[in-house]
Amino acid sequence: MSDIPHISNWVDGVHEASSSEKISVVNPANGQIIATIDATTQDNVNDIVRKSVSTFKDGPWARADASERYAVLSKAATLLRARIPEFIELETRQTGRPIREMRAQLARVPEWLEYFASVARVYEGRVTPFKGPVINTLTRLPLGVVAQITPWNHPLLIAMKKIAAALAAGNVVIVKPSELAPLSVLKMGELLKEAGLPDGVLQIISGYGRETGKFLCESPLLAKIDLTGGILTYRAIAPIAALNMVPMTAELGGKAPVCLFPSLDVEQAVKAALFASFIASGQTCVTGSRLLVHKDIYTDFMQLMERRVKELRLGDPQDSRTQIGAVINKASVERCSAFVERASNDGGKVICGGKPATVEGKGFFFEPTIIETNAGADVACNEVFGPIIAVIKCESEDEIIRIANDDTAYALGASVWTNDFNQAHRVAAKIEAGIVWVNGHHLNDPSSPWGGFKESGVGKENGQEAFESYTKLKSTVINYGIQPTWFDPETLNARYG
Ligand code: TXE
């Protein structure tokens, strides 16, 4: 018997019997299989959705008091915080990201449970200024059974952002984590059960996107689909969701500009660029993948940037000193190589990096790469999702703003780095992106709405907006003084609406 663990679906409060087909989960830093997961079939998906619908209708969670939802989610936060070291190791193993990044990221994940627990507890409805002796209350109800399709780049963070908001609002949740890095999410079932979540309210199912994910999203019984993934996945799901009248939130790609102005000293500009660009080996939707550098600091910036990028320590993700970990798989290495080749054909100059790498002969790595290019080049407009950064020399503030806004279909994150207070406000106001950071990048908080414009997606994660998007608004109009007289024989000034 193999000693590779199999982690089966979490359904109705237990790990189900394994599916006959299994999918291997690989550590991208050394190519070893670390676990297998289920490949959930269409019949099984349909069965789970049906059971989830009855849990929503008959179950206690949708009708639970806000104070009860608060208690369960806050306890889940406490339990998760106590187990963070175990999750850091697992997340590093399944994503290949450096352990120092996972330590910093996972330490904050319980805050999403705490925040949405609190929102559930304090959320107030409204009473509208309705004319006449009428009270109109607006209340928010859970939607029903919601599907969440989550990615591999920040597996636990992104799943918990969505799970916490949906549970706080009283929904039943079916999560389909990425088949490439599902293991931390699959552990959330037991944790939330221990916190007091009733069985069947959180279902976690595994499988390939094109099969299990597709079967799930095709269900007309869903009340919402929340996707973080690629634009092609959105395009595969959205038409059927529209036909089924299932609303969608979608957090897709990005091509974040990092706008660097001459009031910065060069060292500050380089630190900003390194931070924006190389977290997660560039595999995040807000990666600062276009450095728009003002001509007045360009030469000095490039000199120091080249030196600092060459010094980045690529290595074993479990080593605390490692700064650049693996990319997610072989296909990702190949995509990075193809981008570099196209960039060179487009007239770009590879300043450093540009090649696949291994650590002790193993794994899927790519050298941190900077490419000097023009704003219209493929590498400057399209999402690489790897450690390949386009640098563009810009003549003026206006040119930086124009390139930031016009040369890509994405509009998720952007950062503006300057010591000129007026310029900071002026540029931030003109940049078209769902999130603009001034003298920062990657900054994220459960209270801060997160989501893009244009092809970066629709709707928001985080904040009251995310909570509300998991509810439906009900208007109750209570008449305490108008008699219906419309069809009386003699009516004067009667009101019908
Ligand atoms: O994502 P996929 P991939 C972008 C990034 C990346 C590209 C492709 O540009 O290079 O997408 O990455 C599930 N029906 N982002 O291929 O496939 C899949 O199983 C239902 C940005 O890894 O979109 C997984 O659970 N589900 C992004 C999830 O979708 C389907 C993070 C995401 O995988 C499906 C990831 C289908 N037809 C990629 N096809 C971000 N915003 O951070 C796939 N899935």
Side-chain angles (χ1 to χ4, degrees):
M1 231 183 85
S2 151
D3 54 5
I4 295 170
H6 179 81
I7 320 294
S8 62
N9 288 345
W10 177 265
V11 177
D12 290 351
V14 290
H15 279 291
E16 285 196 312
S18 319
S19 60
S20 48
E21 193 196 340
K22 296 185 173 63
I23 300 171
S24 298
V25 181
V26 172
N27 178 343
N30 58 23
Q32 278 171 6
I33 297 175
I34 48 180
T36 56
I37 52 165
D38 290 342
T40 311
T41 61
Q42 185 156 23
D43 284 350
N44 200 357
V45 168
N46 290 341
D47 192 40
I48 292 164
V49 175
R50 271 194 302 273
K51 286 197 278 198
S52 302
V53 170
S54 7
T55 303
F56 178 75
K57 285 192 181 142
D58 314 333
W61 189 249
R63 293 188 300 272
D65 282 346
S67 59
E68 195 182 330
R69 288 186 203 144
Y70 169 82
V72 170
L73 296 177
S74 326
K75 180 152 183 217
T78 307
L79 294 172
L80 180 58
R81 190 163 277 123
R83 288 178 57 185
I84 286 299
E86 166 196 336
F87 283 102
I88 291 170
E89 197 277 331
L90 178 61
E91 205 78 327
T92 304
R93 233 168 357 124
Q94 65 173 352
T95 62
R97 290 186 51 188
I99 196 159
R100 68 186 205 125
E101 285 181 12
M102 297 329 304
R103 282 194 191 116
Q105 181 173 90
L106 294 189
R108 294 205 56 205
V109 174
E111 292 176 34
W112 268 262
L113 286 158
E114 286 161 348
Y115 174 80
F116 284 107
S118 309
V119 172
R121 185 67 187 89
V122 304
Y123 195 88
E124 294 178 2
R126 274 161 53 209
V127 176
T128 71
F130 206 110
K131 183 181 169 83
V134 173
I135 293 174
N136 180 191
T137 60
L138 302 187
T139 44
R140 288 199 174 263
L141 309 171
L143 293 172
V145 177
V146 300
Q148 302 181 335
I149 307 289
T150 63
W152 47 264
N153 55 342
H154 313 282
L156 196 60
L157 172 69
I158 292 177
M160 289 318 292
K161 273 173 152 182
K162 297 184 194 295
I163 291 171
L167 290 181
N171 297 282
V172 167
V173 179
I174 306 178
V175 189
K176 210 291 293 166
S178 169
E179 60 275 29
L180 299 175
L183 303 176
S184 48
V185 179
L186 278 162
K187 289 188 171 229
M188 286 301 108
E190 255 162 357
L191 188 135
L192 274 136
K193 180 175 176 140
E194 193 182 335
L197 189 72
D199 289 349
V201 175
L202 175 62
Q203 319 271 47
I204 308 168
I205 66 169
S206 298
Y208 294 112
R210 61 181 183 274
E211 295 175 357
T212 306
K214 175 174 176 288
F215 305 147
L216 176 61
C217 294
E218 281 172 353
S219 172
L221 301 179
L222 297 177
K224 176 179 166 90
I225 298 170
D226 190 342
L227 161 74
T228 297
I231 185 95
L232 294 178
T233 304
Y234 173 77
R235 290 195 175 126
I237 296 173
I240 182 98
L243 282 176
N244 289 333
M245 294 186 77
V246 176
M248 276 191 80
T249 293
E251 215 276 54
L252 308 173
K255 193 73 193 174
V258 180
C259 307
L260 298 164
F261 288 102
S263 59
L264 299 168
D265 69 58
V266 166
E267 208 163 311
Q268 199 187 356
V270 168
K271 281 185 182 176
L274 291 169
F275 172 62
S277 303
F278 290 113
I279 294 280
S281 289
Q283 301 169 108
T284 165
C285 48
V286 293
T287 292
S289 51
R290 295 186 289 161
L291 305 179
L292 309 185
V293 187
H294 194 281
K295 68 174 184 346
D296 292 356
I297 50 168
Y298 191 79
T299 308
D300 292 346
F301 172 85
M302 286 304 277
Q303 248 174 24
L304 186 57
M305 184 71 183
E306 179 180 349
R307 202 186 86 214
R308 292 293 310 275
V309 174
K310 283 179 174 162
E311 285 167 2
L312 292 176
R313 289 188 297 271
L314 181 149
D316 176 4
Q318 300 284 352
D319 181 342
S320 294
R321 294 179 65 253
T322 294
Q323 294 173 316
I324 302 288
V327 292
I328 193 65
N329 55 18
K330 186 160 176 267
S332 175
V333 174
E334 288 166 358
R335 204 182 55 247
C336 290
S337 294
F339 260 103
V340 173
E341 198 183 322
R342 283 198 301 274
S344 302
N345 294 342
D346 273 356
K349 182 174 166 203
V350 179
I351 304 292
C352 58
K355 294 194 190 67
T358 55
V359 170
E360 294 175 5
K362 293 187 199 139
F364 311 116
F365 294 81
F366 204 88
E367 294 172 350
T369 301
I370 44 177
I371 301 179
E372 194 173 49
T373 186
N374 61 72
D378 163 66
V379 73
C381 302
N382 295 311
E383 188 175 46
V384 180
F385 228 62
I388 297 175
I389 308 304
V391 192
I392 298 147
K393 181 178 181 181
C394 302
E395 292 300 313
S396 64
E397 180 183 302
D398 282 349
E399 189 182 17
I400 288 179
I401 294 168
R402 188 191 58 70
I403 294 172
N405 288 342
D406 292 350
D407 284 337
T408 172
Y410 295 111
L412 178 56
S415 61
V416 178
W417 298 81
T418 174
N419 288 322
D420 175 342
F421 177 83
N422 295 336
Q423 181 174 53
H425 279 278
R426 199 165 57 231
V427 177
K430 286 184 188 162
I431 289 206
E432 196 183 349
I435 311 154
V436 179
W437 293 282
V438 174
N439 294 336
H441 204 106
H442 295 294
L443 299 172
N444 185 12
D445 192 273
S447 66
S448 172
W450 178 284
F453 304 152
K454 301 195 324 195
E455 288 189 13
S456 286
V458 283
K460 300 287 175 191
E461 295 178 325
N462 291 354
Q464 298 222 1
E465 286 70 13
F467 177 82
E468 289 178 356
S469 78
Y470 275 103
T471 64
K472 54 192 173 200
L473 187 64
K474 182 170 182 178
S475 185
T476 307
V477 182
I478 305 156
N479 164 23
Y480 62 90
I482 319 168
Q483 293 299 321
T485 57
W486 189 262
F487 287 106
D488 285 1
E490 299 289 333
T491 51
L492 214 54
N493 298 327
R495 175 174 175 177
Y496 77 87

